[in-house]
Amino acid sequence: MNRIYLLLGPEEGDKKDKLEEIRRAIFAFAPDTEEESYYAGDDSASQILQTLRQPSLFSSTRLITINHLELVKKDSPLIKGLKEYVKDAEEDVFLIMISSESTSFFTVAEEKNLEKSIFYEEFERDKINWIRTTFKKQSFSVTEDAIEEILSSVENNKAEMRALIELLCSYYRNRDENKKVIDGDDVATVITREKGENGYTLFKAVAKRDLEEALMIIKSIALNDPSRLISTLSTLTVEFKTTENAIALKERGLSEKEIQKEAKGIATSFQTKGFNFRRKEGIYLCMRNYTKEDIKRIIIYLVNADTELKKAGSDAEDLFEDLLYNIIVNSARERKEDIFSRLEVKLV
């Protein structure tokens, strides 16, 4: 079994599936595996590299995941340290490195010590076929205008599309057991049927810095399907990243129309560019209500929150509410333990 994995590319859905496959195999091999996650854009290189070499006090095997390596330069201390590590890896450590970029920072010789997988976004025709197949597995067929509505409503990766398809199928299966075909109006109805049912309307509330509305939205999402909190956080992160890119394009002198066409949420040449009219208002509100420094800090904060939210279980909704409070009220300046204190004071 391989000890080191490198997962590359912009297709987050397939990449997430591969990550879960690796994790299942590791825990089947060593059920007492101790797991830690780090973020290249926030955790220090020395902390990550030191952790790789430290023996565990509680388990014979460790799984260490390093996320968002696209945020660091190829000549950074972290990358240099990882290049040295793969040449002489610890026998009790499984290492998974993840980047949205499609190019490896390892040499051909270094890659002999690891398993590399690259996940590219599929061509439009392949996405369309994938959407049809996914609906078919749920015993639904889907019209052309419904596919178009899906592709224009979410980020074009399988993680986002799968979440929406599952929501659509669940909604119409519960509403009408005889319904077998989903059309464009059905998709639009589910997306907009009540305030707060997707990450984009949540982002708009956060962009307005309206805490009350944002909390109502996240309660609505959790009430309808608590499992969607993870994908909601992902959408929120992508929208802040898109706003950050939109600000950069504006500083370069691009017009509003050009910004709407070119802005993207992940810095890779394979990522679909631009945002539709449903997202426009939220992105421009965010540009007005948060500074460039605020947005950069919030992105790091959201990326760090991802692992905590996945581990939160029944406390996920409460954690998300604290996260929204810290973003809207404090622009993500305070740590989580400070948020709890402030909320307790506020509620007394």
Side-chain angles (χ1 to χ4, degrees):
M1 183 175 184
N2 288 300
R3 289 279 176 174
I4 306 176
Y5 299 86
L6 178 63
L7 309 184
L8 302 172
E11 191 4 87
E12 298 299 331
D14 287 344
K15 193 158 56 180
K16 181 179 178 181
D17 289 344
K18 179 64 174 180
L19 173 62
E20 291 305 314
E21 177 188 319
I22 295 170
R23 290 184 70 256
R24 284 194 299 270
I26 291 172
F27 280 97
F29 173 76
D32 66 334
T33 296
E34 182 180 301
E35 187 171 6
E36 298 178 54
S37 292
Y38 294 92
Y39 294 86
D42 188 49
D43 295 304
S44 69
S46 60
Q47 178 186 4
I48 296 172
L49 297 172
Q50 185 177 7
T51 300
L52 285 170
R53 296 297 185 185
Q54 285 178 339
S56 172
L57 299 176
F58 307 103
S59 175
S60 60
T61 307
R62 292 182 297 146
L63 167 59
I64 297 176
T65 304
I66 307 174
N67 300 277
H68 297 286
L69 280 164
E70 73 276 3
L71 297 178
V72 297
K73 296 180 179 179
K74 293 183 178 180
D75 60 350
S76 68
L78 177 57
I79 299 301
K80 290 179 179 178
L82 291 174
K83 289 168 75 70
E84 289 299 317
Y85 177 82
V86 299
K87 297 175 185 177
D88 181 27
E90 299 293 329
E91 293 185 358
D92 64 337
V93 174
F94 289 97
L95 172 62
I96 304 176
M97 298 170 283
I98 303 175
S99 172
S100 62
E101 295 288 352
S102 301
T103 55
S104 172
F105 38 79
F106 293 109
T107 65
V108 174
E110 290 164 349
E111 286 186 355
K112 292 180 180 179
N113 301 311
L114 55 87
E115 178 182 316
K116 180 177 74 172
S117 302
I118 306 177
F119 302 92
Y120 295 104
E121 276 198 1
E122 296 183 357
F123 292 112
E124 196 73 13
R125 63 179 181 274
D126 296 321
K127 292 177 186 175
I128 292 171
N129 290 334
W130 182 86
I131 290 172
R132 286 201 186 100
T133 301
T134 305
F135 270 108
K136 188 175 181 179
K137 290 178 180 177
Q138 298 267 6
S139 300
F140 284 95
S141 59
V142 60
T143 63
E144 294 296 327
D145 63 328
I147 293 174
E148 183 178 345
E149 187 73 25
I150 291 169
L151 290 173
S152 67
S153 299
V154 299
E155 288 297 313
N156 287 343
N157 66 67
K158 290 178 181 175
E160 289 286 324
M161 291 189 290
R162 183 184 291 117
L164 178 54
I165 291 170
E166 289 175 352
L167 175 63
L168 286 162
C169 295
S170 175
Y171 177 76
Y172 286 109
R173 186 179 292 113
N174 293 330
R175 187 181 185 188
D176 181 2
E177 61 181 15
N178 295 317
K179 187 174 181 63
K180 298 300 180 183
V181 179
I182 292 177
D183 61 25
D185 289 339
D186 293 330
V187 176
T189 297
V190 166
I191 290 174
T192 61
R193 73 184 188 271
E194 67 179 76
K195 184 167 57 178
E197 287 198 337
N198 60 70
Y200 298 103
T201 51
L202 176 62
F203 173 72
K204 187 183 294 185
V206 173
K208 289 190 293 185
R209 305 197 84 136
D210 188 329
L211 179 61
E212 182 178 357
E213 182 179 353
L215 292 176
M216 288 177 62
I217 287 172
I218 205 62
K219 285 183 179 298
S220 176
I221 292 174
L223 179 64
N224 282 284
D225 185 358
S227 67
R228 291 182 58 230
L229 292 175
I230 301 297
S231 62
T232 299
L233 180 65
S234 175
T235 299
L236 199 63
T237 305
V238 169
E239 292 303 90
F240 269 104
K241 288 182 177 181
T242 302
T243 305
E244 182 181 45
N245 188 231
I247 291 173
L249 295 175
K250 183 178 180 180
E251 290 176 344
R252 286 169 45 191
L254 273 67
S255 67
E256 183 174 313
K257 186 175 181 180
E258 291 171 326
I259 291 172
Q260 188 174 348
K261 183 179 178 181
E262 295 294 327
K264 53 187 178 181
I266 302 177
T268 111
S269 58
F270 295 96
Q271 177 71 17
T272 301
K273 296 188 295 184
F275 50 87
N276 59 32
F277 71 94
R278 290 190 182 88
R279 300 167 60 198
K280 179 179 177 181
E281 182 180 357
I283 289 170
Y284 279 98
L285 280 169
C286 189
M287 291 172 69
R288 290 197 296 270
N289 292 329
Y290 294 85
T291 67
K292 183 166 63 173
E293 290 72 24
D294 287 341
I295 292 169
K296 182 177 181 179
R297 183 170 55 250
I298 289 168
I299 290 170
I300 294 173
Y301 180 65
L302 289 170
V303 168
N304 287 335
D306 181 73
T307 298
E308 290 188 47
L309 192 66
K310 289 175 180 175
K311 296 179 179 178
S314 60
D315 295 325
E317 183 182 346
D318 291 337
L319 180 60
F320 215 129
E321 289 178 353
D322 294 333
L323 180 150
L324 293 174
Y325 177 92
N326 198 27
I327 291 173
I328 295 171
V329 176
N330 303 310
S331 298
R333 288 188 178 88
E334 294 185 354
R335 296 184 302 176
K336 187 174 71 175
E337 53 264 33
D338 299 324
I339 301 170
F340 289 131
S341 299
R342 179 171 295 216
L343 283 176
E344 289 170 359
V345 172
K346 183 179 178 182
L347 294 172
V348 169

